[in-house]
Amino acid sequence: MSDLKPEPKKLFIKTYGCQMNVYDSERMAETLGGQGYVETSSPDDADMILLNTCHIREKAAEKVYSELGRYKGLKAEKPDLKIGVAGCVAQAEGQEIMRRQPLVDLVVGPQSYHRLPEMEAKTREGAKALDTDFPEEDKFERLKSRPKAARGPTAFLTVQEGCDKFCAFCVVPYTRGAEVSRPAVQVLDEARDLVDRGVREITLLGQNVNAYHGAGEGGDWSLARLVRGLSKIDGLARIRYTTSHPNDMTDDLIAAHGECDKLMPYLHLPVQAGSDKILKRMNRAHTAESYLKLIDRLREVRPDLHLSGDFIVGFPEETEEDFQATLDLIRAARYGTAFSFKYSTRPGTPAAERDQVAEDVKSDRLQRLQALINQQQRELQDAMVGREVSVLFEKEGRLPGQMVGKSEYLHAVHVAEANVARGEIARVRIVDSAANSLAGVLN
Ligand code: SAH
Ligand code: SF4
Ligand code: F3S
């Protein structure tokens, strides 16, 4: 980097997909900051537009092309505008994106975005830039310096990337590559830096975050050890992690849920389906029973644990009976939140080759599953009324004097006339439960 400050240029980033993309977008904005870019909230005044994309379902991928189409006019008006595609569609489709949409100047995969500055320079010379490598060098080492700007009270921190599980429906092992963990010291340093800048809650991220095994003092660190290490950081009040796989929920990590005060009682633990036949065909390598036992063990050490999950309905060869087994599992597990999707055929994955379930059957099952989840979610939420929770306040509410924050269970909590600052944690008594949030009063 030279000492001469280049002209400020404007960067518009649009993020799709999971929290890891949110984190990556922050890091891409920071690295392009070194090239003189500042972020803008509108594509209209941007010098560079970057779409950070998701490939998980067909609709997600198609959205990217329709969004790109919308920028045609802008590019015609402003020939210097550079348009880039990052993330999982970039990784999966590479050059094909430029062929399908010639206005794209740059395509960068999730493992090579530390090379964005060089790539951006290349596009400024009028060339196209493509990089979807899985490079040898450590992306995070190259990205090391984050600007010292103040931050809000919560932050994401990617500790693990990629996946070796190869669920039969999923593109992630292909778009994000093999499972890799960041060294523990790198994570601890980044966490301390975030806390110095005002962060009070960190969510550790990974496509398979509980498979974390980063190099650390005395050998590889597990996620449990990392959580314990992070909880020693003064000023850091809350730790969460997502997304976990049931097969990587080790004894030590379960124990940490009972012992570590800073680890919040909320766990996203996707199971996908409740029929053992389907789980096997999905290559999940666990059964419905082993999953339910795991939840029992977690609730033994943390009885108030709020559970969250992901479900796929209409996986190839799923019968009504298989689907009923999923509903049974949901009833037994009691979810505080759950995300559900119709199976989407992803070319190149094993399940794409199998007998598909009709679209109307998928829609019907999704509706029934979501009705059950909504009912369960509402019951658990309503049961919070009268209880006391701790709230980390994140922002002002819409009403004067109102503040909004999150409980330890990740419920949004609104507090009227709250004389608290952003980033403060206070005890709140819940007095009402609405569709998607709770209302409380300071205790
Ligand atoms: N690594 C995480 C999340 C993967 S993607 C995990 O293993 O849980 C998030 C969710 O998208 C998955 O849990 C799954 O429910 C859903 N998903 C993945 N591939 C899908 C597909 N082909 N069709 C529909 N939903 C899918
Ligand atoms: Fe995809 Fe399965 Fe890996 Fe999750 S565990 S990212 S669903 S392959
Ligand atoms: Fe989507 Fe890639 Fe995340 S496919 S869900 S953005 S890992």
Side-chain angles (χ1 to χ4, degrees):
M1 226 187 295
S2 100
D3 288 340
L4 285 172
K5 277 216 163 145
E7 281 284 293
K9 288 173 280 188
K10 291 198 175 147
L11 170 69
F12 173 72
I13 303 195
K14 186 158 180 170
T15 307
Y16 302 82
C18 62
Q19 291 109 322
M20 300 201 53
N21 265 10
V22 175
Y23 176 85
D24 289 342
S25 289
E26 280 172 15
R27 305 296 313 249
M28 287 193 274
E30 285 164 2
T31 196
L32 285 169
Q35 305 297 106
Y37 279 95
V38 291
E39 272 193 88
T40 171
S41 56
S42 151
D44 299 336
D45 62 346
D47 297 287
M48 180 178 230
I49 294 175
L50 204 52
L51 302 184
N52 194 9
T53 62
C54 173
H55 202 243
I56 204 80
R57 284 168 288 275
E58 196 181 350
K59 268 197 192 135
E62 281 309 313
K63 259 191 218 159
V64 176
Y65 287 102
S66 59
E67 185 73 21
L68 285 171
R70 259 184 248 161
Y71 297 142
K72 243 183 209 151
L74 271 181
K75 183 98 168 179
E77 268 169 40
K78 207 172 172 183
D80 271 353
L81 169 68
K82 300 297 172 199
I83 297 183
V85 177
C88 292
V89 175
Q91 191 63 45
E93 300 192 358
Q95 196 108 50
E96 177 61 23
I97 299 173
M98 288 174 179
R99 230 172 281 143
R100 208 170 139 182
Q101 187 44 276
L103 55 77
V104 172
D105 301 285
L106 178 157
V107 172
V108 62
Q111 292 311 334
S112 30
Y113 66 73
H114 55 292
R115 294 175 177 165
L116 264 174
E118 296 96 285
M119 295 177 75
E120 189 269 350
K122 201 171 154 191
T123 65
R124 292 284 152 211
E125 286 160 14
K128 302 239 174 193
L130 170 87
D131 193 336
T132 52
D133 288 353
F134 288 101
E136 282 296 308
E137 76 266 15
D138 182 343
K139 170 176 78 192
F140 296 107
E141 277 299 318
R142 286 276 310 270
L143 288 168
K144 214 151 49 185
S145 54
R146 299 182 88 166
K148 299 289 171 201
R151 299 274 312 224
T154 64
F156 291 137
L157 202 178
T158 293
V159 301
Q160 179 279 337
E161 292 190 282
C163 179
D164 294 338
K165 297 274 194 291
F166 291 92
C167 297
F169 49 81
C170 183
V171 293
V172 170
Y174 311 98
T175 63
R176 293 277 175 164
E179 211 242 284
V180 189
S181 296
R182 295 177 67 184
V185 63
Q186 216 186 59
V187 174
L188 291 167
D189 282 350
E190 191 168 325
R192 274 187 218 104
D193 179 60
L194 287 168
V195 171
D196 286 348
R197 288 154 60 197
V199 170
R200 306 221 55 204
E201 172 182 301
I202 291 180
T203 303
L204 305 175
L205 299 182
Q207 268 93 21
N208 237 299
V209 71
N210 55 343
Y212 177 83
H213 59 95
E217 213 186 296
D220 271 7
W221 282 30
S222 63
L223 186 67
R225 185 145 181 214
L226 187 66
V227 165
R228 290 194 172 99
L230 286 164
S231 54
K232 291 191 189 122
I233 299 177
D234 286 335
L236 178 62
R238 293 172 155 197
I239 302 166
R240 304 181 188 275
Y241 62 90
T242 198
T243 298
S244 316
H245 192 284
N247 293 357
D248 292 314
M249 232 35 238
T250 59
D251 293 348
D252 198 18
L253 189 55
I254 295 172
H257 277 276
E259 291 159 17
C260 185
D261 292 341
K262 291 187 182 180
L263 185 57
M264 292 294 101
Y266 177 98
L267 181 62
H268 184 60
L269 195 63
V271 62
Q272 314 297 353
S275 144
D276 287 344
K277 176 192 102 185
I278 294 298
L279 286 170
K280 194 154 185 212
R281 290 179 193 188
M282 285 178 162
N283 192 30
R284 289 291 295 181
H286 59 73
T287 62
E289 194 190 347
S290 67
Y291 178 81
L292 290 172
K293 274 203 179 127
L294 180 59
I295 289 166
D296 283 347
R297 289 182 59 208
L298 280 155
R299 287 196 170 127
E300 251 164 52
V301 298
R302 195 68 217 224
D304 61 340
L305 186 82
H306 265 229
L307 186 65
S308 155
D310 287 345
F311 292 90
I312 295 178
V313 299
F315 184 77
E317 296 157 11
E318 184 190 69
T319 62
E320 176 62 25
E321 196 185 343
D322 294 322
F323 175 65
Q324 287 296 334
T326 301
L327 297 182
D328 288 344
L329 179 140
I330 293 172
R331 285 186 198 102
R334 288 178 289 118
Y335 288 92
T337 323
F339 305 89
S340 48
F341 316 95
K342 284 194 266 186
Y343 169 72
S344 169
T345 314
R346 309 308 289 129
T349 59
E353 310 299 322
R354 306 200 190 134
D355 285 348
Q356 305 293 314
V357 171
E359 202 52 36
D360 57 337
V361 175
K362 286 188 203 170
S363 301
D364 173 63
R365 288 183 190 160
L366 186 67
Q367 220 176 19
R368 284 189 281 156
L369 184 141
Q370 287 183 340
L372 175 62
I373 299 264
N374 288 345
Q375 180 198 336
Q376 215 168 51
Q377 205 165 302
R378 193 63 205 255
E379 275 168 19
L380 284 174
Q381 201 190 291
D382 291 351
M384 298 304 296
V385 176
R387 281 179 58 182
E388 202 184 284
V389 295
S390 104
V391 175
L392 168 58
F393 289 96
E394 292 177 18
K395 56 181 184 197
E396 285 171 12
R398 260 181 277 161
L399 305 174
Q402 188 188 48
M403 290 292 287
V404 187
K406 295 271 165 63
S407 75
E408 53 274 64
Y409 311 109
L410 221 52
H411 288 122
V413 182
H414 295 251
V415 178
E417 281 153 49
N419 194 14
V420 289
R422 227 175 143 214
E424 228 176 278
I425 296 178
R427 300 297 295 174
V428 169
R429 193 166 46 79
I430 301 300
V431 293
D432 199 11
S433 164
N436 290 309
S437 64
L438 295 167
V441 291
L442 285 184
N443 247 11

